Amino acid sequence: MRLLIVGAGSTGGYLGARLAQAGRDITFLVRPTRALQLRETGLRIQSAHGDATLYPTLVTAGEIAQPYDAVLLAVKGYQLANVLEDIAPAVGPETMILPVLNGMGHMETLARRFTKHNLVGCTLKVATVLEDDGRIVQLSPMQDFAFGELDGGVTSRIEALDAFFRDANIGARLSRVIGREMWEKWILLASVGAITCLTGGTIGEIEACTGGASFALQLLEEIVTIVKVVGEPPSDTFLHLTREQLTAKGSPFVSSMFRDVQRGRPVEVEEIIGALVRHAGEAGIATPLLSAAYVKLLVYQHKVR
């Protein structure tokens, strides 16, 4: 199986490095500046699971000659529109597209540009950051990469993908309920992002404040209410674990969005927060806390762009 990874940032670079270490056929589609950096210093990852420096196969836009078996999209949501034409030569009728993007709007965008048959659902939970010197640093040992057919079926292509990812040290697992898991991932991302960015603190710092835990739970409830109307309801187990995670005493947990704000980088405010606020408005659901987080992040985004 030949896999094209679009983007060699914190997520795509980490996944691709681990897959390349496992001997898989990996090619990265990157911008010319990132290609130059990778050719000079290598793809470097720093992780509790082991450090590595690799010199992977790279292509830039316009250099793709034929379709790949699978394309893993590891770009920010606001970059998606700009890469659709770049990846078009890599996508054939049977190419699997695995979008490691946040929210759910990208699924409709990809289905319109290609086909729904091309799409495979996936969610990634890994805390990594791309440092200014090009290193990718994994911030915690946790890594969970779920994937599966959107209808829950087990097809020959998904079994081939499962074999491809197996033993690659990326926490890969085949899911029969990937649609629900994608909505659950969005709930978690939006909750942690809104809670930490609105207050400017870690989960533990927020919990330590008077009313902090109830604030976090109220914001979570706003998001869950939206998803129950417009998406797939989360499982009781997910909700129980998420409530514990958002109110854990002393927790240093923050969202990747919060880390990007601290570094002065653009954030996926529309994809993670704005889309939920719009869904809520269309459904007549009041979301005072989520809307406040949305406005704050829009003000920030307007300053950094």
Side-chain angles (χ1 to χ4, degrees):
M1 181 174 288
R2 298 170 62 246
L3 173 67
L4 178 70
I5 298 182
V6 184
S10 61
T11 55
Y14 181 77
L15 290 175
R18 291 301 187 208
L19 287 163
Q21 278 187 305
R24 308 301 189 262
D25 187 342
I26 304 297
T27 299
F28 285 97
L29 173 62
V30 292
R31 295 186 301 271
T33 52
R34 181 63 167 151
L36 179 63
Q37 184 181 50
L38 291 172
R39 289 183 176 122
E40 288 182 347
T41 63
L43 177 59
R44 295 168 292 156
I45 58 172
Q46 188 174 320
S47 162
H49 295 288
D51 300 346
T53 299
L54 303 96
Y55 290 85
T57 303
L58 308 174
V59 294
T60 55
E63 295 180 343
I64 298 172
Q66 60 185 353
Y68 284 75
D69 298 300
V71 174
L72 191 148
L73 281 173
V75 297
K76 297 290 189 181
Y78 51 77
Q79 297 170 325
L80 179 60
N82 293 329
V83 304
L84 289 177
E85 296 311 311
D86 293 344
I87 68 172
V91 179
E94 298 303 319
T95 299
M96 292 177 282
I97 301 176
L98 292 89
V100 186
L101 280 82
N102 297 321
M104 291 294 289
H106 60 276
M107 299 297 284
E108 294 181 7
T109 299
L110 290 166
R112 284 195 303 268
R113 177 57 184 84
F114 302 105
T115 70
K116 189 173 182 180
H117 175 70
N118 287 122
L119 296 181
V120 171
C122 58
T123 67
L124 175 66
K125 297 175 185 175
V126 62
T128 52
V129 62
L130 178 65
E131 298 289 359
D132 292 336
D133 64 1
R135 287 178 301 126
I136 296 168
V137 179
Q138 187 176 19
L139 303 176
S140 76
M142 181 272 297
Q143 50 190 27
D144 178 64
F145 179 44
F147 60 94
E149 296 286 10
L150 293 171
D151 64 2
V154 178
T155 59
S156 58
R157 71 173 189 171
I158 212 69
E159 288 179 326
L161 198 62
D162 186 31
F164 182 81
F165 288 141
R166 198 176 302 141
D167 303 324
N169 196 20
I170 54 174
R173 60 181 175 84
L174 178 57
S175 171
R176 297 290 301 272
V177 289
I178 194 63
R180 190 194 73 202
E181 290 201 53
M182 291 170 70
W183 282 99
E184 288 176 345
K185 170 75 179 298
W186 193 5
I187 291 170
L188 180 62
L189 276 178
S191 298
V192 182
I195 290 165
T196 57
C197 290
L198 191 55
T199 62
T202 66
I203 290 298
E205 290 170 338
I206 297 163
E207 188 279 333
C209 295
T210 302
S214 46
F215 154 75
L217 293 176
Q218 185 178 343
L219 209 155
L220 171 64
E221 186 58 31
E222 287 185 5
I223 294 170
V224 170
T225 300
I226 300 167
V227 171
K228 285 181 177 179
V229 172
V230 303
E232 293 192 39
S235 69
D236 291 340
T237 299
F238 167 82
L239 289 176
H240 174 73
L241 293 174
T242 301
R243 290 182 184 116
E244 288 187 341
Q245 192 172 15
L246 296 182
T247 57
K249 291 183 181 296
S251 172
F253 187 33
V254 296
S255 68
S256 58
M257 182 182 287
F258 181 79
R259 290 194 296 269
D260 284 339
V261 168
Q262 287 184 311
R263 290 166 179 261
R265 296 174 176 175
V267 294
E268 295 177 290
V269 57
E270 294 297 346
E271 293 78 10
I272 297 176
I273 306 294
L276 284 171
V277 171
R278 286 187 289 277
H279 280 311
E282 292 166 0
I285 300 169
T287 56
L289 296 179
L290 187 64
S291 296
Y294 180 46
V295 171
K296 179 170 183 177
L297 285 164
L298 281 178
V299 171
Y300 165 80
Q301 190 86 316
H302 293 159
K303 290 179 179 178
V304 299
R305 279 192 167 177

